[in-house]
Amino acid sequence: MSGSYSGDSAGESKKSDVRFFAAMIGDAVELCQRRSSPVFTDFLTEAEQTEAEAIVKRAHANYLLWGGFDGAERRMLGVFPQYEEPDRALFPIDGITASFRAADSVEHRSVLGTLMAQGIERACIGDILIESGRCVFFCCGTVTRALLADVCRIGGAGVRLRQGYDEPLPAAHGFREIKVTIASARLDCVTAAIAGVGRNRAEELITAGEVMINSTVCKKVSRTVNGGDKITVRGTGKFIIDDLGAFTRKGRLILSARKYV
């Protein structure tokens, strides 16, 4: 949707989107209870997963988030009857392999653009993993047949699609290791260290809503960061906090983290 919005109308639109999403997740829980069978959403972003998980937990629902492989970023929410063990195999997710010449260059955006050009919505496409000569992407099972029949080129490269994939999967991300000492585990200290900015600038970024912890905006500079947290600093990148380890002799914490590259 295009056009100009005043601050109030944009705020109302955002509130409406939040209410719609909450209603959608609530409907999935209700439908599962009524039918006594699993109900699945399309692929959710990390922020949507955080919100969906909060909703199903409040409803005491039996659920699982799954994206087709361990470590997937875009995942579906599956809501299961209380008596049923959540089963990854029941998720309507297909992995598809696109093979191409190693000399050809295939990028994430060209894969996504090609798939969406087939009339497929973004929410029907999960993670896209690429290496030399091969791309593996995950999609809703409802669109698999159409993709296999219609896609023969991605960007300027000719491709051959088949359902399924061989292990190991292409790496989802590269990482750059970060190891520094910080004064404390406060969000402003951690943000300054991983983003390579001063403490004052880190505080500005946080209070402006430019920093997210586990896909949720956090404006509290004193928020404690824990090992395993994912921090996104808008304009700088995304980081995984691996460990906030032992203190140095000078009483500083040793921070181990990785930046997505």
Side-chain angles (χ1 to χ4, degrees):
M1 182 179 292
S2 62
S4 299
Y5 296 89
S6 67
D8 288 345
S9 62
E12 286 304 314
S13 176
K14 185 174 182 179
K15 288 178 183 177
S16 177
D17 290 344
V18 170
R19 287 194 294 266
F20 177 82
F21 182 78
M24 180 188 74
I25 300 302
D27 288 346
V29 173
E30 183 180 344
L31 187 60
C32 173
Q33 293 171 342
R34 189 165 68 247
R35 293 182 176 178
S36 295
S37 61
V39 175
F40 304 94
T41 67
D42 288 337
F43 288 97
L44 305 177
T45 65
E46 290 184 295
E48 289 170 338
Q49 291 169 43
T50 299
E51 179 61 24
E53 195 164 23
I55 294 169
V56 294
K57 281 182 176 178
R58 288 196 296 269
H60 305 289
N62 184 25
Y63 73 96
L64 179 67
L65 289 163
W66 177 241
F69 67 101
D70 289 324
E73 291 191 357
R74 298 181 68 89
R75 298 183 292 177
M76 290 182 178
L77 171 72
V79 185
F80 293 80
Q82 292 294 341
Y83 58 82
E84 184 175 333
E85 184 70 21
D87 186 352
R88 294 175 172 180
L90 296 178
F91 279 73
I93 298 174
D94 283 334
I96 296 180
T97 297
S99 302
F100 50 91
R101 296 186 310 166
D104 288 331
S105 177
V106 171
E107 299 179 348
H108 184 283
R109 63 181 178 180
S110 58
V111 176
L112 182 59
T114 296
L115 300 181
M116 294 184 68
Q118 308 305 310
I120 294 171
E121 295 183 1
R122 181 65 181 96
C124 290
I125 305 167
D127 283 19
I128 299 170
L129 313 176
I130 302 173
E131 64 184 9
S132 177
R134 180 174 71 136
C135 167
V136 177
F137 62 88
F138 295 82
C139 64
C140 293
T142 52
V143 303
T144 299
R145 182 177 297 180
L147 291 177
L148 293 175
D150 297 338
V151 175
C152 60
R153 297 193 69 82
I154 293 177
V159 298
R160 185 176 68 255
L161 266 58
R162 68 174 176 87
Q163 188 171 344
Y165 57 87
D166 298 325
E167 298 279 5
L169 286 167
H173 299 284
F175 294 98
R176 178 171 63 83
E177 301 286 337
I178 299 173
K179 194 164 188 176
V180 294
T181 60
I182 56 177
S184 78
R186 286 168 48 118
L187 181 58
D188 55 348
C189 292
V190 173
T191 300
I194 61 178
V197 299
R199 185 87 169 265
N200 289 340
R201 177 55 180 159
E203 184 174 339
E204 291 173 357
L205 290 169
I206 295 165
T207 55
E210 302 292 320
V211 177
M212 294 190 293
I213 299 181
N214 301 324
S215 302
T216 301
V217 171
C218 180
K219 295 185 178 182
K220 186 177 181 182
V221 297
S222 61
R223 158 78 146 80
T224 298
V225 176
N226 300 300
D229 283 343
K230 290 183 180 180
I231 298 180
T232 301
V233 183
R234 188 169 298 172
T236 300
K238 183 177 179 180
F239 307 81
I240 298 176
I241 307 303
D242 290 319
D243 187 40
L244 288 160
F247 285 93
T248 66
R249 292 181 180 179
K250 294 184 178 181
R252 293 175 64 85
L253 277 173
I254 300 174
L255 168 67
S256 297
R258 287 172 289 159
K259 180 180 179 179
Y260 287 80
V261 295

